[in-house]
Amino acid sequence: MQYKAVIFDLDGVLVFTDKYHFKAWKKLAEKLSIDFTEKDNDRLRGVSRAESLEIILEKYKGKPTSEAQKQEYLAEKNDTYRQFLGDMNRNDVSDVVRDTLKKLRESGYRLAIGSSSKNTAYILERTELTDAFDAVADGTMITKSKPDPEVFLKAAELLRETPSNCLVVEDADAGVTAAHAAGMDAAAIGAATKSQRADYNLEAFSDLLRIL
Ligand code: BG6
Ligand code: MG
């Protein structure tokens, strides 16, 4: 086997919480009269909450934002986002995703999460996915988010696996860059397939069963 472990990004790969991130940021942006499009949202994929706010504020035409005000905006965005998460359940993970994860494990691969999100544990719990993984590395354990490799190196460390034995599955260009910086191959799905920078492009999640 070329790989021994698979590290999955969460938002936009296993669950479509990326649309909830967009809606929550959009609500804040509208309040601040900032034009915020789906294209802008692509820049936020894989990027931490605080860095995402900085990107959104690039288009803000008002006075410079104080640190205290930024903290309020971050809390506000996360409150809106968590309301969407609260409505999630098992059905928010497709049968194809669940079935593919199960088959990979049965084939002997170790599976981990590598996500910048500090809401990872909550999402896994809501969707009953926690037990599908051998390790979880998330935004609560790192100081630098993607494109920095820290979260993927953390996942490999938790799995006690060498980076070159790990394949990363990502929907973000920042995540593909992070995987390569960690010395790992990357399989792109969704938005990240456009840039053609990954080692594999997946049309469907189940395509993983052809690569692995
Ligand atoms: C990543 C998302 O998974 O998590 C980003 O792609 C998001 O868009 C980041 O900003 C941080 O998420 P959270 O849940 O900690 O705000
Ligand atoms: Mg993602």
Side-chain angles (χ1 to χ4, degrees):
M1 293 202 308
Q2 190 184 350
Y3 307 105
K4 291 187 177 166
V6 191
I7 304 174
F8 294 88
D9 171 52
L10 179 64
D11 296 317
V13 170
L14 301 173
V15 284
F16 295 102
T17 42
D18 47 341
K19 65 175 183 255
Y20 300 144
H21 278 296
F22 176 68
K23 283 185 180 180
W25 282 126
K26 181 89 183 159
K27 188 175 169 203
L28 178 69
E30 277 172 1
K31 186 176 117 170
L32 301 175
S33 303
I34 296 171
D35 173 44
F36 179 61
T37 63
E38 300 244 10
K39 196 163 168 254
D40 294 323
N41 193 54
D42 274 347
R43 283 180 68 202
L44 312 185
R45 287 178 194 278
V47 173
S48 74
R49 197 182 310 161
E51 287 166 291
S52 297
L53 177 64
E54 294 299 334
I55 293 173
I56 287 167
L57 288 176
E58 283 172 10
K59 284 194 184 170
Y60 183 53
K61 298 202 174 71
K63 284 187 288 180
T65 313
S66 70
E67 196 45 48
Q69 185 65 69
K70 284 181 189 172
Q71 290 307 321
E72 270 182 44
Y73 291 156
L74 290 170
E76 204 175 307
K77 185 267 174 178
N78 199 45
D79 282 350
T80 314
Y81 179 59
R82 298 261 309 190
Q83 279 172 26
F84 290 119
L85 299 185
D87 288 335
M88 289 182 86
N89 60 44
R90 198 185 157 79
N91 298 325
D92 285 290
V93 175
S94 72
D95 289 343
V96 173
V97 166
R98 251 180 237 284
D99 188 55
T100 303
L101 293 174
K102 189 164 166 265
K103 285 184 175 146
L104 290 176
R105 245 186 173 174
E106 284 166 358
S107 306
Y109 292 100
R110 308 203 50 237
L111 309 184
I113 295 282
S115 168
S116 303
S117 173
K118 293 183 173 159
N119 290 298
T120 296
Y122 185 48
I123 295 168
L124 293 176
E125 181 198 313
R126 295 280 337 156
T127 56
E128 297 174 32
L129 261 188
T130 313
D131 292 342
F133 297 94
D134 301 292
V136 175
D138 69 22
T140 65
M141 304 171 183
I142 54 171
T143 55
K144 287 165 278 174
S145 81
K146 302 166 191 177
D148 191 279
E150 188 177 1
V151 78
F152 292 138
L153 292 172
K154 184 76 197 167
E157 181 194 319
L158 293 172
L159 289 172
R160 295 202 185 87
E161 201 55 76
T162 46
S164 58
N165 288 336
C166 301
L167 176 70
V168 166
V169 186
E170 260 294 348
D171 73 313
D173 280 333
V176 172
T177 305
H180 288 159
M184 301 174 185
D185 282 354
I189 191 160
T193 59
K194 287 181 224 154
S195 58
Q196 302 276 326
R197 290 178 42 248
D199 304 277
Y200 310 93
N201 274 325
L202 309 178
E203 274 177 36
F205 192 83
S206 53
D207 287 348
L208 278 174
L209 298 172
R210 287 199 268 121
I211 298 173
L212 294 160

